[in-house]
Amino acid sequence: MEIYFYKYQGTGNDFVMIDAINQSIKLNREQINQLCDRKFGIGADGLIILTRQHGNFYMNYYNSDGKESSMCGNGGRCFIKFLSDLNLIEKKVEFFAIDGWHSGKINENQVSLELKNIYEIQQNKDFIFLDTGSPHHVEFRENIDDIDVAQAGRAIRYSKLYPNGTNVNFVEIISPEKIKVRTYERGVEDETLSCGTGVTAAAISANFLSLIKNKQISVETKGGDLQVCFDENESQYTNVWLTGPAEQVFKGLIEI
């Protein structure tokens, strides 16, 4: 089977994008894993399939292990840019993903994605847990550049705390308006250069703990800078938006 594909990245979080509106595609887990393989395939943190039903756009997201996954923030932003590049939208869009409806908007290379409202945050002695479309464990540390994120994140991800697994974020306060985040992503099973739902979870956690009082927070990741903004009322977070760059890297035809 020949597949026409596109490769996108958002702050270093990269994705294989497949337009299943204009071509008939059916992939199994092994094929998705092969396409995402960095040595034997295209190479990506995940794969996104675009479909259209009853006039609505659907984002179907799979991690690089081939399993359908929970919401991906940077993937959602790349999906919006993908729709724009295909001339399917102009500046704004609403689409459906595994966790429900999302709004998006695009201004040149800056792409904004609205994520789910947060009504429940679990505060523990050493960490925060919340779901921003994907589950996230958040720890605030100093000098996070010195952390072995793959090892430390894997230990938490597979701990008894999380029978179903979790993403793990290590966060450092840089200034009253900025944080730095490093994330271990389940499904990728390694540190990624950026994680959209992870930086959103980190920014909300920083505000929740009053470490940062701003409701617009800049986030530094290994892959680049993102912005998270939200409204907050009695520890409930609404109107949550993730903004940053997203771009097409290349496109091609692959046989699988």
Side-chain angles (χ1 to χ4, degrees), residues 48-65:
I48 295 171
I49 299 176
L50 160 65
T51 61
R52 194 170 196 170
Q53 301 177 37
H54 309 295
N56 298 311
F57 297 116
Y58 282 69
M59 169 183 157
N60 303 280
Y61 177 68
Y62 302 84
N63 276 326
S64 59
D65 62 2

Side-chain angles (χ1 to χ4, degrees), residues 3-202:
I3 299 173
Y4 197 76
F5 71 90
Y6 302 76
K7 173 75 177 284
Y8 276 72
Q9 67 89 12
T11 53
N13 210 185
D14 58 345
F15 309 94
V16 174
M17 314 288 286
I18 295 176
D19 173 10
I21 296 175
N22 295 305
Q23 61 180 333
S24 179
I25 296 294
K26 189 173 182 179
L27 298 172
N28 60 36
R29 179 180 173 182
E30 290 72 26
Q31 289 171 322
I32 292 170
N33 176 250
Q34 181 183 340
L35 289 170
C36 291
D37 191 286
R38 297 193 182 278
K39 298 188 184 300
F40 298 100
I42 301 163
D45 293 324
L47 181 143
I48 295 171
I49 299 176
L50 160 65
T51 61
R52 194 170 196 170
Q53 301 177 37
H54 309 295
N56 298 311
F57 297 116
Y58 282 69
M59 169 183 157
N60 303 280
Y61 177 68
Y62 302 84
N63 276 326
S64 59
D65 62 2
K67 293 182 181 178
E68 187 171 15
S69 185
S70 48
M71 182 57 186
C72 177
N74 285 327
R77 293 191 313 97
C78 286
F79 183 75
I80 296 164
K81 184 66 165 65
F82 185 41
L83 291 172
S84 176
D85 290 345
L86 292 176
N87 295 315
L88 293 172
I89 65 169
E90 292 185 3
K91 297 295 184 181
K92 295 181 179 181
V93 67
E94 289 191 358
F95 66 92
F96 193 83
I98 194 167
D99 62 337
W101 289 100
H102 290 269
S103 295
K105 52 190 177 182
I106 184 167
N107 182 12
E108 295 182 350
N109 195 41
Q110 292 294 304
V111 182
S112 299
L113 171 71
E114 185 177 26
L115 292 167
K116 63 182 287 187
N117 296 332
I118 306 299
Y119 299 119
E120 182 179 355
I121 298 176
Q122 298 176 23
Q123 181 177 359
N124 299 276
K125 180 181 178 182
D126 299 316
F127 65 91
I128 295 286
F129 179 80
L130 67 163
D131 192 313
T132 53
S134 288
H136 283 278
H137 173 109
V138 180
E139 290 189 15
F140 289 87
R141 303 270 196 98
E142 296 181 354
N143 304 315
I144 64 170
D145 287 341
D146 298 334
I147 298 174
D148 184 337
V149 171
Q151 182 177 13
R154 188 178 298 112
I156 295 168
R157 181 257 196 267
Y158 286 104
S159 70
K160 293 181 180 179
L161 282 171
Y162 303 109
N164 297 319
T166 186
N167 302 285
V168 182
N169 305 270
F170 299 99
V171 188
E172 181 177 347
I173 304 297
I174 302 299
S175 76
E177 301 175 349
K178 187 174 185 178
I179 60 176
K180 180 189 291 186
V181 182
R182 295 179 65 189
T183 302
Y184 177 95
E185 283 199 52
R186 68 171 185 176
V188 180
E189 304 308 335
D190 204 347
E191 179 180 12
T192 54
L193 294 181
S194 173
C195 172
T197 55
V199 302
T200 303

Side-chain angles (χ1 to χ4, degrees), residues 232-247:
E232 183 271 333
N233 183 30
E234 297 182 350
S235 298
Q236 295 190 345
Y237 292 82
T238 58
N239 198 28
V240 180
W241 286 85
L242 171 70
T243 300
E247 64 177 5

